Amino acid sequence: DRWQLDAIGHYNRYTDAGLSTVTIDPTPEQTSDLWSAQIKADGPILQLPGGDLKAAFGAEYRHEKQAEDNLPFLITPFDTTLGTTASSDMNDIFSEGSISSLDVLAIFGEGFFPIVGDQNQRPGMKRLELSIAGRIDHYTDIEDEASVRAALLWSPRNDANVRMSYDRSFIAPTRQMRTQRRSSVSTARASVNTAAGDLSGQQYIVVRGGAPDLQPENTETFTVGMDYTPAMVPNLALSL
């Protein structure tokens, strides 16, 4: 096997015309742009008794931009009895134009270590493989985050595998979660059920918007499993 180098670039634009009709939850016209580029190299490093030690590494860059245009919206109060829009007392609400952007730079790497294979197997140790991967993401406006994954595969015999893995990952908040303009609308509906109870016919306030201080969610996972495919029973596979 030889080393392979891949380079990928991407651009996409999406436009949401928004809602300019009578509504209690107006959405401004939004234009989103996404630029991304990735470069990755992978291939064998050296020959081990159990097989080729392989590695992959690379870098990725992503730029996101979202623009909200100034757009007037017409809000019509709901009739608390009929649950329909009234024909008078209409209020014009104008959104404020805004532009938000996000830059992400990431580096990543992965290694595959075949410790025991066909060339050096022995009773109780038919195969032993270890894989380790890591990634660091740098954001322009939130803390840097690191992801790590390690997996071990042990085959005590040809028809049995034992799997173990550890994973530490994160989910970064989207740009909209952090930068969406906060707004509130006072309204009423004929039928509304919430966790707080039935709000039918009552006047209440709808509040929405982003949280600028929102940080990534981190998770850790550890798994252990077994696979058994006895040769004496064709098409039988047991997993735990």
Side-chain angles (χ1 to χ4, degrees):
D1 294 343
R2 297 182 179 180
W3 275 81
Q4 180 175 327
L5 180 66
D6 296 317
I8 303 173
H10 176 78
Y11 170 75
N12 182 59
R13 164 167 283 197
Y14 172 76
T15 300
D16 185 349
L19 300 176
S20 58
T21 57
V22 177
T23 176
I24 66 167
D25 192 18
T27 303
E29 183 175 85
Q30 298 178 347
T31 300
S32 299
D33 294 283
L34 170 65
W35 294 266
S36 66
Q38 183 188 86
I39 184 170
K40 183 181 73 171
D42 63 89
I45 295 180
L46 56 88
Q47 181 74 32
L48 296 178
D52 288 335
L53 189 160
K54 298 180 180 180
F57 59 88
E60 178 181 321
Y61 172 75
R62 186 173 81 251
H63 174 76
E64 301 178 22
K65 184 177 72 172
Q66 178 172 302
E68 293 185 357
D69 295 337
N70 289 320
L71 185 65
F73 299 102
L74 193 60
I75 305 299
T76 304
F78 271 66
D79 185 281
T80 59
T81 302
L82 301 177
T84 58
T85 55
S87 59
S88 60
D89 193 21
M90 294 182 176
N91 301 307
D92 287 328
I93 298 181
F94 293 85
S95 68
E96 298 179 0
S98 64
I99 297 178
S100 61
S101 63
L102 173 68
D103 292 283
V104 184
L105 177 62
I107 56 174
F108 54 87
E110 182 177 0
F112 173 72
F113 305 86
I115 302 170
V116 177
D118 294 338
Q119 302 299 321
N120 61 341
Q121 61 176 291
R122 55 185 181 273
M125 186 67 70
K126 295 296 183 178
R127 184 168 56 155
L128 184 63
E129 297 173 351
L130 173 67
S131 62
I132 302 175
R135 178 185 175 103
I136 299 176
D137 288 79
H138 170 72
Y139 293 80
T140 53
D141 53 358
I142 61 177
E143 297 180 358
D144 295 354
E145 291 292 335
S147 300
V148 178
R149 187 179 191 278
L152 183 68
L153 176 66
W154 169 46
S155 299
R157 43 189 291 170
N158 292 329
D159 57 3
N161 296 323
V162 178
R163 299 171 280 104
M164 292 179 285
S165 69
Y166 169 79
D167 183 84
R168 182 187 184 278
S169 59
F170 70 96
I171 302 176
T174 65
R175 182 186 62 253
Q176 186 177 21
M177 289 179 181
R178 304 183 69 250
T179 63
Q180 185 182 35
R181 185 182 66 256
R182 295 189 177 184
S183 61
S184 62
V185 177
S186 177
T187 185
R189 287 178 174 175
S191 179
V192 178
N193 292 311
T194 70
D198 186 4
L199 300 181
S200 302
Q202 300 184 38
Q203 195 77 13
Y204 62 96
I205 297 177
V206 177
V207 180
R208 70 173 188 178
D213 298 328
L214 196 62
Q215 294 297 319
E217 298 179 12
N218 293 287
T219 62
E220 284 187 298
T221 306
F222 181 74
T223 63
V224 178
M226 296 181 60
D227 301 308
Y228 181 50
T229 54
M232 65 185 70
V233 184
N235 302 320
L236 176 63
L238 303 176
S239 297
L240 176 63

